[in-house]
Amino acid sequence: MKLGVLALQGGIVEHVHMLRRAAERLGVSAEVIEVRKPSHVEGLRALVIPGGESTAMYRLGKRTGVAEPLREAILEGLPTLGTCAGAALLAKEVEDRQSGRKYEPLLAVADFKVVRNYFGRQRESFEAELEVKGIGKFRGVFIRAPVIVPRSDSVAVLSEYKGEPVMVKQGNVIATAFHPELTSNTKIHEMLIEMAR
Amino acid sequence: MMLSQRDRLVEVGFDAIVTFFYKLAEAADKLKEEGLWTYLPDPSETLREVATGTLRVKLGFPVYQKGGVIMDVTNTEQAGIAEDAGAVAVMVLDKLPYDIRKAGGVARMADVNVIKEVMNSISLPVMAKVRIGHFVEAKVLEALGVDMIDESEVLTPADEKHHINKWQFKVPFVNGARNLGEALRRISEGASMIRTKGEAGTGNVAEAVRHMKTVMRELKELTAMPEEDRVLKAREMGVSYELVELAVRLRRLPVVNFAAGGIATPADAALMMWLGADGVFVGSGIFKSEDPRQRAEAIVLATSLWSEPEAVLEAQSMISERKSMMGIDIRTLKPEELLQVRGE
């Protein structure tokens, strides 16, 4: 099974590591590739969009032309996990909490709004015990993290922190405000691979 | 070449690195209780329900800068240009390194009001520099809320002998290094990220190349050595043997490692990535050129897509060599004018 990590910028190798380990745990034989050109999208069974700076990834996604085929593949049902800035790339609506400035979405495939830097700056970055539906306890690592607010009933909230949605799922798309790849817990990556099986 | 083919982090994983430091700290816990050792993280932070400024959060922050370009800026206008071009963060300075060289005198932390203005004007992380060993400048920046502190040789050192004990901060630090020993010493002091020193403000990439190659070569040499020689080497470098073993196991620095000092063109940036950098800092190279907008965007493109020659070609064709900063040949600098020798 061919799994991809969007490799424009950000925490790429961390996700490659987690996908390999998750596949091993599930007994799935998987090849993990880095996706940075339109030709890399073909044959993918699941995709991770890592965290990074969403403005940087937006520019690179447009310039490389990788955004268009990815958008089509996700709309056709490609199981996709977006973490932090990755969630912002999937969202139909993106804004910054402090300035209120709106950002053009890159892929615009999911009915949620991502509010960037919701929990503050790096000084306020934190880790916290979360409860994730279908998984249980999960150590959430939040780095200048956003919240992910559903815009329709078809978006299920899988986890909340202090009443704010930090993990959601809509059909084939999962989005987290936190970074599972900074822990040793592969459950969320396993969830993604299960969707591809 | 794919990142995952050359980066051992793919096999080892981020968590193993965080766990390593906590284990080391637990072993030293007794000493810490007696106040004999503060140079390590606090393992109890992993047990707290909610915790800010943990090691995981500090080492995690630079992970999301990887493959990106951090740009030196001196005002909100330049910060806006950097954000539009796709920078992953900005570094606020009072003067660009090239101008620091020309001005002479004592170079200090930037004006906190300017840093604040920049923080309010863009959504990117904002970094700022403090003088080597200047604990209070760093506490000021932490109170201000900057996202990362660069304890930098570009400013005039405040302490000729010591660096800041960075374990005592919730905000992560980046430090410069010319070789593996310097890099590991800074990590021992709590740095969450390393960059080459290069020779800032020259527009000459040669020193950054030398420093990146030295770190890589020394890592290879360590890997090939018998264990007892590594013990000796750890002692020579003045770092714990455990940290040396971690670097050997990873075959890379255990924290994010950027290139800095003299990067002026997209090809320079791609060269540093090819040599093993996780990303680049560009100082005078952008705003001392005559085409900062195009150049900033071109360097972002070349840094991310360094492994695709046609993308680097495209990036290089976005700029004109006639508009590059003039640059300074390092051989014409007097020994006392070199910034890289500050703070070993």
Side-chain angles (χ1 to χ4, degrees):
Chain A
M1 174 188 298
K2 197 151 105 185
L3 310 173
V5 177
L6 183 62
L8 297 173
Q9 187 266 314
I12 299 157
V13 293
E14 290 75 10
H15 274 297
V16 174
H17 168 78
M18 293 300 269
L19 281 175
R20 283 192 192 168
R21 280 196 42 200
E24 239 168 68
R25 275 174 191 242
L26 293 171
V28 172
S29 123
E31 181 203 358
V32 185
I33 65 155
E34 293 170 19
V35 177
R36 55 171 73 90
K37 287 202 257 194
S39 62
H40 295 159
V41 179
E42 210 168 306
L44 281 187
R45 297 280 298 281
L47 172 75
V48 172
I49 305 183
E53 275 307 316
S54 52
T55 44
M57 289 202 276
Y58 174 85
R59 291 226 144 237
L60 291 163
K62 285 275 180 200
R63 200 168 257 286
T64 54
V66 77
E68 223 17 72
L70 272 185
R71 183 181 142 80
E72 278 165 34
I74 298 168
L75 287 175
E76 279 165 22
L78 176 70
T80 302
L81 165 66
T83 59
C84 197
L89 298 187
L90 290 165
K92 286 194 178 160
E93 199 182 340
V94 186
E95 69 174 41
D96 185 68
R97 184 182 191 183
Q98 199 203 342
S99 65
R101 185 176 157 190
K102 300 260 183 202
Y103 293 86
E104 178 108 359
L106 181 68
L107 300 168
V109 290
D111 286 313
F112 47 70
K113 176 166 108 173
V114 167
V115 184
R116 293 178 59 193
N117 302 325
Y118 185 85
F119 292 105
R121 308 191 72 93
Q122 175 59 17
R123 192 178 54 185
E124 284 82 48
S125 291
F126 63 99
E127 33 183 308
E129 286 304 322
L130 302 176
E131 194 62 39
V132 174
K133 271 184 199 147
I135 288 178
K137 282 217 175 309
F138 204 100
R139 188 76 170 174
V141 184
F142 294 82
I143 295 186
R144 288 172 51 98
V147 289
I148 309 168
V149 186
R151 298 203 315 177
S152 100
D153 291 342
S154 61
V155 179
V157 175
L158 299 189
S159 187
E160 290 184 340
Y161 175 71
K162 291 193 171 163
E164 302 289 351
V166 292
M167 178 171 176
V168 303
K169 181 172 186 292
Q170 183 185 33
N172 55 313
V173 173
I174 310 172
T176 66
F178 53 92
H179 292 286
E181 74 282 10
L182 295 186
T183 71
S184 58
N185 192 336
T186 54
K187 287 282 164 55
I188 291 174
H189 292 82
E190 288 171 35
M191 193 188 254
L192 177 73
I193 296 172
E194 290 284 11
M195 283 159 63
R197 283 222 265 194
Chain B
M1 190 188 194
M2 295 277 154
L3 288 168
S4 38
Q5 278 165 5
R6 64 168 191 172
D7 197 335
R8 280 264 299 156
L9 210 48
V10 168
E11 272 105 69
V12 180
F14 177 86
D15 181 70
I17 295 166
V18 176
T19 308
F20 165 85
F21 283 102
Y22 281 132
K23 286 213 170 123
L24 206 59
E26 270 162 20
D29 229 14
K30 185 107 184 58
L31 292 171
K32 282 180 87 180
E33 270 166 36
E34 290 162 17
L36 295 174
W37 196 351
T38 53
Y39 271 179
L40 280 169
D42 174 11
S44 74
E45 64 195 21
T46 56
L47 306 171
R48 291 210 295 275
E49 187 96 357
V50 179
T52 57
T54 61
L55 179 62
R56 200 177 293 275
V57 156
K58 288 199 288 180
L59 291 182
F61 170 75
V63 165
Y64 303 99
Q65 303 279 303
K66 288 199 284 187
V69 183
I70 300 170
M71 301 181 190
D72 277 2
V73 301
T74 58
N75 55 45
T76 53
E77 191 206 337
Q78 291 178 350
I81 293 173
E83 183 173 44
D84 290 343
V88 290
V90 299
M91 173 79 68
V92 185
L93 288 103
D94 181 44
K95 293 189 220 43
L96 293 172
Y98 179 83
D99 295 321
I100 291 178
R101 271 184 194 287
K102 287 193 118 180
V106 176
R108 309 181 185 88
M109 172 179 81
D111 184 333
V112 288
N113 297 305
V114 175
I115 300 173
K116 209 183 211 168
E117 274 171 35
V118 171
M119 285 165 66
N120 290 332
S121 73
I122 56 170
S123 71
L124 295 178
V126 174
M127 307 181 179
K129 289 182 190 287
V130 299
R131 286 177 266 176
I132 291 174
H134 207 311
F135 184 84
V136 173
E137 279 188 349
K139 278 291 170 192
V140 167
L141 291 186
E142 184 176 51
L144 187 63
V146 303
D147 297 287
M148 183 171 241
I149 297 172
D150 184 0
E151 188 181 17
S152 176
E153 70 284 357
V154 170
L155 306 184
T156 312
D159 188 327
E160 301 278 351
K161 282 216 167 87
H162 308 92
H163 283 75
I164 297 167
N165 177 359
K166 294 164 273 284
W167 295 111
Q168 296 180 349
F169 288 78
K170 289 206 163 189
V171 170
F173 276 73
V174 54
N175 274 89
R178 289 181 300 169
N179 52 50
L180 186 61
E182 276 187 42
L184 294 180
R185 281 195 293 281
R186 299 297 87 79
I187 294 168
S188 305
E189 294 157 1
S192 299
M193 179 179 181
I194 295 295
R195 53 168 178 77
T196 58
K197 284 180 169 173
E199 191 56 38
T202 61
N204 186 339
V205 79
E207 293 302 295
V209 167
R210 187 200 312 277
H211 299 161
M212 188 59 75
K213 279 194 162 172
T214 303
V215 169
M216 296 302 172
R217 190 190 64 239
E218 288 177 317
L219 277 166
K220 273 199 194 118
E221 285 168 3
L222 271 181
T223 311
M225 267 178 205
E227 215 175 331
E228 57 268 30
D229 287 353
R230 288 209 287 268
V231 174
L232 200 66
K233 193 80 190 158
R235 207 175 303 150
E236 271 173 35
M237 292 193 290
V239 298
S240 78
Y241 173 67
E242 289 81 358
L243 187 57
V244 168
E245 282 301 291
L246 177 68
V248 166
R249 186 175 160 214
L250 291 166
R251 285 182 229 131
R252 57 158 291 150
L253 291 182
V255 301
V256 171
N257 180 24
F258 268 43
I263 294 162
T265 69
D268 284 352
L271 172 68
M272 296 314 301
M273 295 301 285
W274 177 71
L275 289 173
D278 291 320
V280 301
F281 283 88
V282 184
S284 315
I286 291 171
F287 292 105
K288 278 287 148 192
S289 73
E290 289 166 38
D291 52 1
R293 272 178 200 280
Q294 298 90 310
R295 189 168 297 253
E297 206 183 325
I299 293 177
V300 167
L301 183 63
T303 303
S304 166
L305 301 173
W306 62 271
S307 60
E308 320 278 348
E310 54 295 2
V312 180
L313 167 63
E314 189 191 335
Q316 198 63 27
S317 64
M318 286 160 71
I319 60 146
S320 158
E321 180 51 24
R322 265 175 250 126
K323 292 177 176 170
S324 291
M325 73 181 278
M326 215 18 195
I328 301 169
D329 186 342
I330 290 141
R331 283 168 298 191
T332 65
L333 291 174
K334 298 190 195 95
E336 63 271 23
E337 289 174 329
L338 288 176
L339 302 177
Q340 57 177 284
V341 296
R342 294 167 164 183
E344 306 203 308

